[in-house]
Amino acid sequence: MRIVALAGGIGGARFLRGLKEAVAPGDEITVIGNTGDDIHLYGLKVCPDLDTVMYTLGGGIHEEQGWGRTDETWSIKAEMKEYGIGPEWFGLGDRDFATHLVRSQMLSAGYALSQVTEALCVRWQPGVRLLPMSDDRVETHVRITDEEGTRAVHFQEYWVRLHAAVDAEAIIPVGAQAAKPAPGVLEAIAAADVILFPPSNPVVSIGTILAVPGIREAVAAAKAPKVGLSPIIGGAPVRGMADKVLAAVGVAATADAVALHYGAELLDGWLVDTADAAVTAAVEAGGIRCRAVPLLMTDVAATAGMARAALELAEEVRAS
Amino acid sequence: MRIVALAGGIGGARFLRGLKEAVAPGDEITVIGNTGDDIHLYGLKVCPDLDTVMYTLGGGIHEEQGWGRTDETWSIKAEMKEYGIGPEWFGLGDRDFATHLVRSQMLSAGYALSQVTEALCVRWQPGVRLLPMSDDRVETHVRITDEEGTRAVHFQEYWVRLHAAVDAEAIIPVGAQAAKPAPGVLEAIAAADVILFPPSNPVVSIGTILAVPGIREAVAAAKAPKVGLSPIIGGAPVRGMADKVLAAVGVAATADAVALHYGAELLDGWLVDTADAAVTAAVEAGGIRCRAVPLLMTDVAATAGMARAALELAEEVRAS
């Protein structure tokens, strides 16, 4: 079975770890990763979501933190502070820097991001085929208004420096309109037996992937059952600040509103947490099959259970 | 008094620390640093000699090692090994990497190496004006013959990987002929009251600086007394493998041969170690005043004594 998953960072990566446990031997997982949160720092290209997937599935992630490397050191960050060079609010550890150095050197040599990602995965052996959504530069910016006035800031600045404490007025995936899907992305979607929407941020993670012209259309046209898992439980994001960016696109932070935001064009099935069992009827009224199952990724076993429920719902869709 | 010193890496840097102790308040030291051992690694520009001077005079050097940073960590090096990316033989610590990141980003932004060096020195406050010999790329290569045949390798590969264990057949300062002295270099030489040749490698450090068209001529034409200190004591280099590269240019590894290699055009005075007192006559026969004094840089006080002896010899030249 060929499974395609669209994934953001921490939530997506953790779900994928469960998915790997849930699939049968021989099943192939292709991950289409968000690159809208990429950022250029110190002349290097940093791809936080791709790296979070790669490190999580490859055994190098800092488990408690959810991002960055285990056994990390922070010498470069300390030195940059001494040199007076920011941003201080962004945490790049020394081990993580090595990945960005390798990536940036390969990009400078003319390799595409998808080729670089494949090369990095030779080391990490994530057990999935990891494709960036696009080889072209896309950077999600967020329009805000604060004492400095109305302006657009990089998503990382909004998320990491400002902790999403100010309202997001608009989410702008800069460059997305001109971006092309990376090689293999449309082919993987078309050939998929199941397409999954992990509990990633529906706006700045999966929404950005879908903003690359051709990807949304390919998912909509795909014959495979498409099943998603709600990142919202009981009216709040399980982690992160998805409610802030959902508000920017006029979507309530509820499990049913997110499903209906994707819509029946993109989703055949939707899993909500048992705490949200009451909303299944509203989702089904939108033409999307909905089941309530435990959705907290407390450990790999629980996450594998979620993945199994998603695959079962996909089979139910297929059989219908 | 305006003092100009041509300097390589470890030996030059340690001498300069003594020189700073020896000079009077208000004296100005301009260091013209060798950049021929610069190397590009991981897409970054690494300037080992400039950094050794900067770290040594700025209090950041690894004292025992003589190069690199104190309190260094090695995470990136470990990661590069995991990625299978060399060279393994070159040691770049994490703190050191930060310097190369800052430098490379500034170079990419269009700043010249001399401007970047000035910016880095804002942090390090070396107490001297540190100028690269040139803003243009010069890389010293060494021609060798071994089981892989006759070929030219980067000086760092010859020195660090091969430990100069094979004979150097030729020293090739690639790019030197087309290089221009960095802004301020010729002006500093012309305006100097004293010009010093620290006990740096006469071929691959000071020789490379002099290979930049205009610098040798400026030193020769300068009115200031020019005094050097022998890097050879008792027929062997005090540190490093200078004898190997001296052989490549047909110069014996003796204190007098090095002085005569520079010649009376470049040198008015020469200090040899007391162990080499017997060669002073041979040096003076070449038209260069020569004194025998202790030349082991065992500590800063001893090194300051060497610097004082050099300045005294310069005054003697001036008064003559």
Side-chain angles (χ1 to χ4, degrees):
Chain A
M1 195 162 73
R2 285 159 298 190
I3 302 167
V4 166
L6 314 184
I10 302 176
R14 288 185 172 164
F15 174 76
L16 291 168
R17 191 153 57 178
L19 178 62
K20 279 173 64 183
E21 292 283 314
V23 298
D27 286 355
E28 291 171 11
I29 303 171
T30 297
V31 176
I32 300 171
N34 172 42
T35 58
D37 64 344
D38 290 3
I39 186 165
H40 288 73
L41 291 171
Y42 316 111
L44 305 181
K45 186 172 180 71
V46 180
C47 300
D49 278 3
L50 293 182
D51 289 349
T52 295
V53 170
M54 194 169 72
Y55 296 158
T56 301
L57 301 185
I61 200 77
H62 186 296
E63 285 292 342
E64 294 70 40
Q65 205 167 246
W67 55 269
R69 294 292 312 282
T70 186
D71 299 321
E72 189 57 287
T73 63
W74 297 90
S75 295
I76 292 181
K77 191 172 170 68
E79 292 294 316
M80 289 299 178
K81 186 170 181 176
E82 292 296 324
Y83 278 120
I85 293 176
E88 278 190 45
W89 49 266
F90 203 71
L92 286 182
D94 302 326
R95 291 186 189 281
D96 201 20
F97 254 108
T99 300
H100 312 318
L101 280 163
V102 174
R103 172 187 293 121
S104 302
Q105 195 177 10
M106 284 191 71
L107 289 171
S108 295
Y111 291 95
L113 182 61
S114 50
Q115 295 173 300
V116 175
T117 304
E118 190 178 349
L120 294 172
C121 286
V122 168
R123 168 183 174 190
W124 289 102
Q125 296 289 320
V128 302
R129 182 173 171 226
L130 177 60
L131 301 176
M133 66 189 200
S134 177
D135 282 337
D136 301 316
R137 181 167 172 171
V138 179
E139 274 187 16
T140 305
H141 287 213
V142 180
R143 199 179 72 210
I144 60 170
T145 300
D146 60 10
E147 62 277 8
E148 294 178 46
T150 296
R151 65 196 201 281
V153 296
H154 191 288
F155 169 70
Q156 296 293 355
E157 185 170 357
Y158 180 72
W159 207 250
V160 180
R161 184 170 83 87
L162 301 174
H163 305 290
V166 288
D167 288 342
E169 298 167 351
I171 309 299
I172 312 147
V174 180
Q177 282 308 310
K180 292 177 295 297
V185 165
L186 298 184
E187 294 81 352
I189 294 170
D193 296 306
V194 175
I195 298 175
L196 297 179
F197 290 58
S200 290
N201 189 306
V203 181
V204 293
S205 296
I206 294 180
T208 307
I209 299 172
L210 295 170
V212 176
I215 296 185
R216 170 183 287 275
E217 295 75 7
V219 172
K223 293 190 180 62
K226 302 141 204 171
V227 173
L229 298 93
S230 177
I232 305 286
I233 297 183
V238 177
R239 59 167 294 129
M241 300 151 276
D243 47 333
K244 289 288 187 169
V245 290
L246 280 166
V249 295
V251 176
T254 62
D256 49 324
V258 171
L260 299 173
H261 169 62
Y262 285 132
E265 187 192 50
L266 294 177
L267 284 181
D268 300 303
W270 186 245
L271 295 180
V272 299
D273 187 73
T274 46
D276 293 309
V279 308
T280 54
V283 175
E284 299 219 321
I288 302 167
R289 277 168 197 258
C290 189
R291 299 287 176 270
V293 297
L295 285 192
L296 280 173
M297 299 191 283
T298 44
D299 55 29
V300 177
T303 310
M306 290 165 53
R308 265 180 225 107
L311 293 172
E312 283 162 20
L313 184 52
E315 288 312 306
E316 187 182 321
V317 168
R318 192 194 314 279
S320 70
Chain B
M1 195 162 71
R2 286 159 299 190
I3 302 166
V4 167
L6 314 184
I10 301 176
R14 287 185 174 166
F15 174 76
L16 291 167
R17 190 154 56 177
L19 178 63
K20 280 173 64 182
E21 291 284 313
V23 298
D27 287 354
E28 291 171 12
I29 303 171
T30 298
V31 177
I32 300 171
N34 172 42
T35 57
D37 65 342
D38 289 4
I39 186 167
H40 289 73
L41 291 170
Y42 316 111
L44 305 181
K45 186 172 182 70
V46 180
C47 300
D49 279 3
L50 293 181
D51 289 348
T52 295
V53 169
M54 193 170 73
Y55 295 158
T56 301
L57 300 185
I61 199 77
H62 186 296
E63 285 292 342
E64 294 70 40
Q65 206 167 243
W67 55 270
R69 294 290 315 280
T70 187
D71 300 320
E72 188 57 287
T73 62
W74 298 90
S75 295
I76 292 181
K77 190 171 171 67
E79 292 294 316
M80 289 299 177
K81 186 170 182 175
E82 293 295 324
Y83 278 121
I85 294 176
E88 279 190 43
W89 49 265
F90 203 72
L92 287 181
D94 301 327
R95 291 186 189 281
D96 202 20
F97 254 109
T99 299
H100 312 318
L101 281 163
V102 174
R103 173 186 293 120
S104 302
Q105 196 177 9
M106 284 190 72
L107 289 171
S108 295
Y111 291 95
L113 182 60
S114 50
Q115 296 173 300
V116 175
T117 305
E118 190 178 348
L120 294 172
C121 285
V122 168
R123 168 184 174 191
W124 289 102
Q125 297 289 320
V128 302
R129 183 175 172 223
L130 177 60
L131 301 176
M133 66 188 199
S134 178
D135 282 337
D136 301 316
R137 181 168 172 172
V138 178
E139 273 188 16
T140 305
H141 286 213
V142 180
R143 198 179 73 212
I144 60 170
T145 300
D146 61 10
E147 61 278 8
E148 295 179 45
T150 296
R151 64 196 202 282
V153 298
H154 191 286
F155 170 70
Q156 296 293 354
E157 184 171 357
Y158 180 71
W159 206 251
V160 180
R161 184 169 84 87
L162 301 174
H163 305 289
V166 289
D167 288 342
E169 298 168 353
I171 309 298
I172 311 147
V174 180
Q177 282 307 311
K180 292 178 296 296
V185 165
L186 298 183
E187 295 79 354
I189 293 170
D193 296 306
V194 175
I195 297 176
L196 297 178
F197 290 58
S200 290
N201 189 307
V203 182
V204 295
S205 295
I206 295 182
T208 307
I209 299 171
L210 295 170
V212 176
I215 296 186
R216 171 184 286 276
E217 295 74 8
V219 172
K223 294 191 179 63
K226 302 140 204 172
V227 172
L229 299 94
S230 177
I232 306 286
I233 296 183
V238 177
R239 61 168 295 129
M241 301 150 279
D243 48 334
K244 290 287 190 170
V245 290
L246 280 167
V249 295
V251 176
T254 63
D256 49 325
V258 170
L260 299 172
H261 170 61
Y262 284 133
E265 188 192 50
L266 294 177
L267 283 182
D268 299 305
W270 186 245
L271 296 179
V272 298
D273 187 71
T274 45
D276 292 310
V279 308
T280 55
V283 175
E284 299 220 320
I288 303 167
R289 278 170 198 258
C290 188
R291 299 289 176 271
V293 298
L295 286 191
L296 281 173
M297 299 191 282
T298 43
D299 55 29
V300 176
T303 311
M306 289 165 54
R308 266 181 225 108
L311 294 172
E312 283 163 18
L313 185 52
E315 287 313 306
E316 188 183 320
V317 168
R318 193 194 313 277
S320 69

